[in-house]
Amino acid sequence: MLGRPMAGGGRSGRVSGGGHEETAPYSVQGWGLEKTAGQWARSSQLTVARDGDDRDFRTKEGTLGSEGLCFGGLCSSAPARASYSRGWDGKVSKIKKTIQSILPGKTRDSLYNTSHLPPEHSDVVIVGGGVLGLSVAFWLKKLEKKQGAIRVLVVDRDYTYSKASTGLSVGGIRQQFSLPENVQLSLFSINFLRNINVHAEYLAVVDAPPLDLQFSPSGYLLLASEKDAATLEKNVRMQRQEGAKVCLMSPEQLRNKFPWINTEGVALASYGMEDEGWFDPWSLLQGLRRKAQSMGVLFCQGEVTRFVTSSSRMETSSGEQMILKRICEVHVKMNHSLEYQPVECAIVINAGGAWSGQIAELAGIGKGPPGTLEGTKLPVEPRKRYVYLWHCPQGPGLEAPLVTNTNGVYFRREGLGNNYLGGRNPTEVRSAWAGYYDYNTFDQNGVVGPHPLVVNMYFATGFSGHGLQHAPAVGRAVAEMVLEGHFQTINMSPFLFSRFYLGEKFQECNII
């Protein structure tokens, strides 16, 4: 099997002496070495004889010693050796150093570099190194009972993040959702972002510069037609009850505050007066990664291609037989290679974003008979969303909020040069890009917590566009469930996977 060298890169040899034996790894290009009576010997091809300070290196083909190089009966003398090129002398010296490095008292340099491989064991493997996966890693380390108690590995296919959804987001944060739980997630997250550089609490790192999230607290402005006005008013009432600072505005109030808005067809608007706006997603992503590394989180660039599971049978109270699975091993394939490394683990976090449905299938989720819990899929798929940039010299200024209406069209200011980002293609476009939502086709809401049958796979996915702004709170919720067995800060029970089997939608209506 490729990609599974022993620790240190060698094979096992047996060490004897002092009245006991123990196995230890040694390696010279795959040769297994045995130590017997003060002599190092390879059974068939290599003998390293220790004789004081002088060492001879004998191979099947000849002997390399202090007097020269011998092949068969032909030996080189010192004058003859001088005629060899410097390149050959360098090779001989390298061979000597290689073999000497494995002798007692010497520091051995591994001939097989395994630095690019993940560890063979990890308590938690997080699949997906985006902002949600990094947030889970951060909170696992922050909430662990003893520093260094939990070994956390984050696996991602692309650490340049060139195609990551996080970096392609417009970076909005708002409390104006239709469900109380999502409002609570927003309130927790904005508090996190506001305190992000507090050393003892969040993402500050000793001797590192503070993070600049470039937060623009300009608010969100949601516009509703006559048809949607009642729903908007109901949502605002709930948001206020949860502690959000949101107000309702009539068309006349809109014109007075934002003269540049065309209020034709607008019956009502809601405006976030505090803790809403947008920030730089890249800064948050890099800040979480930097902090996680400082806390001891391990990172590996590769792709999870297989889960090795164990199974046990369970009988429900109604007498139904069910099979419970536990992931024992995660196979991580190295990029641009056939090599892979098995990683034994206790917990797997599925934070694969738009591709989390495929990761769930690797664990057998959704592959049972239709209509059963075993046959219930994770309903998360990639959904491409476009972001456009355009220039408008006479556009709204610094007071402009992120404006959206109930059908999802939106725009916001980008910088100070009369540039704007938006969700619809205007007449003149300077550039555009596209990213993927981890779109939950069932109810456009997040999936958080363990799977009921694959008992050690936990989800942090499916937020359909609002995962970035909720990442600080979601990461904590997952960590609480892993470490304590239940949610503590925010009750995330409605986000559990089981709702897909039960057909109980937890619908979020304000998806932008």
Short mmCIF file of all heavy atoms in Angstrom, two decimals, residues 122 137 141 144 147-148 150-154 289-299:
data_model
loop_
_atom_site.label_atom_id
_atom_site.label_comp_id
_atom_site.label_asym_id
_atom_site.label_seq_id
_atom_site.Cartn_x
_atom_site.Cartn_y
_atom_site.Cartn_z
N SER A 122 -5.29 10.77 14.93
CA SER A 122 -5.79 12.08 15.34
C SER A 122 -7.11 11.87 16.06
O SER A 122 -7.92 11.02 15.66
CB SER A 122 -5.98 12.99 14.12
OG SER A 122 -6.40 14.28 14.53
N ALA A 137 -12.33 23.79 14.58
CA ALA A 137 -10.99 23.48 15.10
C ALA A 137 -10.61 24.44 16.23
O ALA A 137 -10.09 24.02 17.28
CB ALA A 137 -9.97 23.55 13.97
N LYS A 141 -10.12 23.38 20.43
CA LYS A 141 -8.91 23.63 21.21
C LYS A 141 -9.17 24.61 22.34
O LYS A 141 -8.60 24.48 23.42
CB LYS A 141 -7.81 24.16 20.29
CG LYS A 141 -7.37 23.19 19.20
CD LYS A 141 -6.84 21.89 19.78
CE LYS A 141 -5.52 22.07 20.50
NZ LYS A 141 -5.00 20.79 21.04
N GLU A 144 -11.18 22.66 25.15
CA GLU A 144 -10.64 21.42 25.71
C GLU A 144 -10.30 21.63 27.18
O GLU A 144 -9.88 22.71 27.60
CB GLU A 144 -9.43 20.95 24.92
CG GLU A 144 -8.25 21.90 24.94
CD GLU A 144 -7.10 21.43 24.06
OE1 GLU A 144 -7.15 20.30 23.56
OE2 GLU A 144 -6.14 22.22 23.88
N GLN A 147 -4.92 21.80 28.10
CA GLN A 147 -4.21 22.22 26.90
C GLN A 147 -3.45 21.05 26.29
O GLN A 147 -2.71 20.34 26.98
CB GLN A 147 -3.25 23.36 27.22
CG GLN A 147 -2.58 23.95 25.98
CD GLN A 147 -1.71 25.14 26.32
OE1 GLN A 147 -1.59 25.53 27.47
NE2 GLN A 147 -1.10 25.73 25.30
N GLY A 148 -3.65 20.84 25.00
CA GLY A 148 -3.00 19.75 24.29
C GLY A 148 -3.68 18.42 24.44
O GLY A 148 -3.15 17.40 23.99
N ILE A 150 -6.50 17.39 23.04
CA ILE A 150 -7.17 16.92 21.83
C ILE A 150 -6.27 17.17 20.63
O ILE A 150 -5.79 18.29 20.43
CB ILE A 150 -8.52 17.63 21.62
CG1 ILE A 150 -9.41 17.47 22.85
CG2 ILE A 150 -9.23 17.09 20.39
CD1 ILE A 150 -10.66 18.30 22.79
N ARG A 151 -6.06 16.14 19.84
CA ARG A 151 -5.30 16.29 18.60
C ARG A 151 -6.28 16.49 17.46
O ARG A 151 -7.12 15.63 17.20
CB ARG A 151 -4.43 15.07 18.33
CG ARG A 151 -3.37 15.30 17.26
CD ARG A 151 -2.48 14.09 17.07
NE ARG A 151 -1.19 14.46 16.51
CZ ARG A 151 -0.28 13.61 16.10
NH1 ARG A 151 -0.53 12.31 16.17
NH2 ARG A 151 0.86 14.03 15.62
N VAL A 152 -6.19 17.63 16.79
CA VAL A 152 -7.13 18.00 15.74
C VAL A 152 -6.37 18.13 14.41
O VAL A 152 -5.34 18.81 14.34
CB VAL A 152 -7.83 19.33 16.07
CG1 VAL A 152 -8.80 19.73 14.95
CG2 VAL A 152 -8.58 19.23 17.40
N LEU A 153 -6.90 17.48 13.38
CA LEU A 153 -6.34 17.55 12.04
C LEU A 153 -7.37 18.12 11.09
O LEU A 153 -8.51 17.66 11.04
CB LEU A 153 -5.93 16.15 11.56
CG LEU A 153 -5.53 16.00 10.09
CD1 LEU A 153 -4.25 16.75 9.80
CD2 LEU A 153 -5.40 14.53 9.70
N VAL A 154 -6.99 19.14 10.31
CA VAL A 154 -7.84 19.73 9.29
C VAL A 154 -7.33 19.31 7.92
O VAL A 154 -6.15 19.52 7.61
CB VAL A 154 -7.87 21.27 9.39
CG1 VAL A 154 -8.71 21.87 8.27
CG2 VAL A 154 -8.42 21.71 10.74
N ARG A 289 -7.20 30.48 10.73
CA ARG A 289 -6.14 29.51 10.43
C ARG A 289 -4.89 29.80 11.26
O ARG A 289 -4.28 28.88 11.82
CB ARG A 289 -5.82 29.55 8.94
CG ARG A 289 -4.77 28.53 8.50
CD ARG A 289 -4.58 28.56 7.00
NE ARG A 289 -3.41 27.79 6.60
CZ ARG A 289 -3.40 26.48 6.40
NH1 ARG A 289 -4.51 25.79 6.54
NH2 ARG A 289 -2.29 25.86 6.06
N ARG A 290 -4.51 31.06 11.33
CA ARG A 290 -3.33 31.43 12.11
C ARG A 290 -3.50 31.06 13.58
O ARG A 290 -2.60 30.53 14.22
CB ARG A 290 -3.08 32.94 11.96
CG ARG A 290 -1.83 33.44 12.64
CD ARG A 290 -1.70 34.95 12.52
NE ARG A 290 -2.66 35.66 13.35
CZ ARG A 290 -2.71 37.00 13.46
NH1 ARG A 290 -1.86 37.74 12.76
NH2 ARG A 290 -3.59 37.57 14.24
N LYS A 291 -4.68 31.37 14.11
CA LYS A 291 -4.94 31.07 15.53
C LYS A 291 -4.96 29.57 15.77
O LYS A 291 -4.40 29.08 16.76
CB LYS A 291 -6.27 31.69 15.94
CG LYS A 291 -6.63 31.46 17.40
CD LYS A 291 -5.66 32.16 18.33
CE LYS A 291 -6.12 32.07 19.78
NZ LYS A 291 -5.23 32.80 20.70
N ALA A 292 -5.61 28.82 14.88
CA ALA A 292 -5.68 27.36 15.05
C ALA A 292 -4.28 26.75 15.04
O ALA A 292 -3.97 25.86 15.84
CB ALA A 292 -6.54 26.75 13.95
N GLN A 293 -3.41 27.22 14.15
CA GLN A 293 -2.04 26.72 14.11
C GLN A 293 -1.31 27.01 15.41
O GLN A 293 -0.57 26.18 15.92
CB GLN A 293 -1.29 27.33 12.93
CG GLN A 293 -1.68 26.75 11.58
CD GLN A 293 -0.94 27.41 10.43
OE1 GLN A 293 -0.83 28.63 10.38
NE2 GLN A 293 -0.45 26.60 9.51
N SER A 294 -1.52 28.21 15.96
CA SER A 294 -0.86 28.58 17.20
C SER A 294 -1.34 27.73 18.37
O SER A 294 -0.63 27.59 19.38
CB SER A 294 -1.10 30.07 17.51
OG SER A 294 -2.43 30.30 17.97
N MET A 295 -2.53 27.15 18.25
CA MET A 295 -3.09 26.31 19.31
C MET A 295 -2.74 24.83 19.13
O MET A 295 -3.15 24.00 19.93
CB MET A 295 -4.61 26.48 19.35
CG MET A 295 -5.06 27.91 19.60
SD MET A 295 -6.84 28.14 19.35
CE MET A 295 -7.47 27.72 20.98
N GLY A 296 -2.01 24.50 18.06
CA GLY A 296 -1.56 23.14 17.86
C GLY A 296 -2.38 22.33 16.88
O GLY A 296 -2.15 21.12 16.74
N VAL A 297 -3.31 22.95 16.17
CA VAL A 297 -4.08 22.23 15.16
C VAL A 297 -3.15 21.87 13.99
O VAL A 297 -2.32 22.68 13.56
CB VAL A 297 -5.26 23.09 14.66
CG1 VAL A 297 -5.98 22.42 13.48
CG2 VAL A 297 -6.25 23.33 15.79
N LEU A 298 -3.29 20.66 13.48
CA LEU A 298 -2.49 20.18 12.36
C LEU A 298 -3.25 20.36 11.06
O LEU A 298 -4.48 20.26 11.03
CB LEU A 298 -2.14 18.70 12.56
CG LEU A 298 -1.43 18.34 13.87
CD1 LEU A 298 -1.28 16.84 14.00
CD2 LEU A 298 -0.08 19.03 13.97
N PHE A 299 -2.52 20.59 9.97
CA PHE A 299 -3.13 20.81 8.67
C PHE A 299 -2.51 19.89 7.63
O PHE A 299 -1.32 19.60 7.67
CB PHE A 299 -2.97 22.27 8.22
CG PHE A 299 -3.76 23.25 9.04
CD1 PHE A 299 -3.25 23.75 10.23
CD2 PHE A 299 -5.02 23.65 8.63
CE1 PHE A 299 -3.97 24.64 10.99
CE2 PHE A 299 -5.76 24.54 9.39
CZ PHE A 299 -5.23 25.04 10.57
#
